[in-house]
């Protein structure tokens, strides 16, 4: 699954740590999501999308291989 | 409330240190000369219960530390535990076969969890580095 987390975060000048604090996870979790090594749970994905005032589909997209 | 202001890592290490000291105390007690030669049902039962009670704080602190982590870190723990569990199963089975064939002497069962813990630590270290 790919996502626009890094772009959305950069637009707001937030660090990974700052974003993590806002959604209640660690910096490592944000890094793993951004690099595609970890797919967040639905509640976390919704929390992230709500924070950026976007829908989940606008932040996270399925890839061909998913 | 005061606990939330402290560094969670430091709180965990402090609690684990206290739990480990408690466990070590009961370990020394139950491996002592008096325990080895304990006679009578109540005393023998006391040795077993004291030994098990010493483990309870360690388990409590460990489970509590996992419960307060985020979903990503819980997943890392799950992967590390799964690898440690499977590896320990293979190692214990191999040792049993080696013992049966006369290659190694009978080994104490308590060594198994030490092996599992060591593998778990290595896996935690490796997965944490991978996701850093």
């Amino acid at each position: 699954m790919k996502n626009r987390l890094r772009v959305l975060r950069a637009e707001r000048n937030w660090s990974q740590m700052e974003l993590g604090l806002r959604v209640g996870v660690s910096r490592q979790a944000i890094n793993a999501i951004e690099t595609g090594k970890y797919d967040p749970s639905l509640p976390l994905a919704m929390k992230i999308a709500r924070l950026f005032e976007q829908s989940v589909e606008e932040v996270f997209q399925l890839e061909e291989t998913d | 409330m005061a606990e939330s202001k402290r560094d969670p890592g430091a709180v965990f290490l402090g609690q684990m240190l206290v739990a480990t000291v408690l466990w070590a105390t009961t370990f020394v007690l139950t491996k002592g000369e008096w325990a080895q030669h304990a006679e009578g049902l109540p005393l023998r039962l006391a040795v077993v219960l004291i030994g098990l009670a010493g483990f309870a704080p360690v388990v409590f602190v460990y489970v509590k530390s996992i419960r307060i982590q985020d979903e990503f870190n819980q997943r890392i723990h799950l992967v590390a535990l799964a690898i440690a569990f499977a590896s320990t199963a293979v190692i214990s089975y191999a040792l049993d076969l080696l013992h049966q064939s006369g290659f190694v002497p009978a080994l104490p069962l308590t060594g198994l969890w030490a092996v599992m813990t060591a593998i778990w630590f290595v896996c935690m270290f490796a997965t944490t580095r991978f996701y850093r």
Side-chain angles (χ1 to χ4, degrees):
Chain A
M1 196 162 69
K2 60 183 177 180
N3 63 76
R4 297 174 50 236
L5 211 54
R6 194 182 293 271
V7 175
L8 292 167
R9 184 172 59 78
E11 284 173 1
R12 286 155 182 81
N13 280 326
W14 290 345
S15 64
Q16 290 181 336
M17 176 70 89
E18 198 173 347
L19 176 57
L21 284 171
R22 285 172 188 267
V23 294
V25 296
S26 61
R27 184 199 66 76
Q28 286 83 359
I30 297 298
N31 184 55
I33 295 169
E34 283 188 359
T35 53
K37 289 176 179 171
Y38 174 68
D39 293 332
S41 66
L42 189 55
L44 178 57
M46 292 178 78
K47 211 183 274 186
I48 292 169
R50 182 182 291 175
L51 182 68
F52 290 120
E53 295 175 328
Q54 307 214 359
S55 66
V56 173
E57 291 86 349
E58 285 174 307
V59 182
F60 299 96
Q61 296 91 34
L62 280 175
E63 290 182 290
E64 294 285 319
T65 51
D66 288 331
Chain B
M1 289 298 281
E3 188 177 291
S4 62
K5 290 179 183 172
R6 295 185 212 149
D7 175 17
V11 171
F12 167 71
L13 284 177
Q15 289 176 340
M16 190 50 98
L17 184 68
V18 171
T20 305
V21 168
L22 282 173
W23 166 76
T25 306
T26 57
F27 181 82
V28 170
L29 269 175
T30 53
K31 294 291 176 184
E33 192 69 24
W34 76 274
Q36 301 296 321
H37 299 100
E39 284 179 18
L41 183 64
L43 204 53
R44 281 163 47 217
L45 200 59
V47 170
V48 173
L49 291 176
I50 289 169
L52 287 175
F55 240 107
V58 176
V59 174
F60 175 76
V61 171
Y62 176 65
V63 171
K64 190 181 158 201
S65 76
I66 290 181
R67 281 175 63 93
I68 61 170
Q69 291 184 19
D70 63 36
E71 60 179 51
F72 172 69
N73 282 297
Q74 285 181 345
R75 183 193 165 95
I76 287 180
H77 270 280
L78 178 65
V79 171
L81 278 174
I83 294 171
F85 171 77
S87 305
T88 307
V90 171
I91 290 168
S92 61
Y93 186 62
L95 285 174
D96 187 46
L97 285 175
L98 287 168
H99 171 63
Q100 188 183 303
S101 306
F103 290 109
V104 294
L107 297 166
L109 282 174
T110 45
L112 274 181
W113 63 261
V115 170
M116 192 168 172
T117 306
I119 297 170
W120 172 71
F121 267 110
V122 170
C123 292
M124 281 298 296
F125 180 73
T127 48
T128 304
R129 276 187 67 87
F130 177 73
Y131 286 116
R132 191 165 57 183

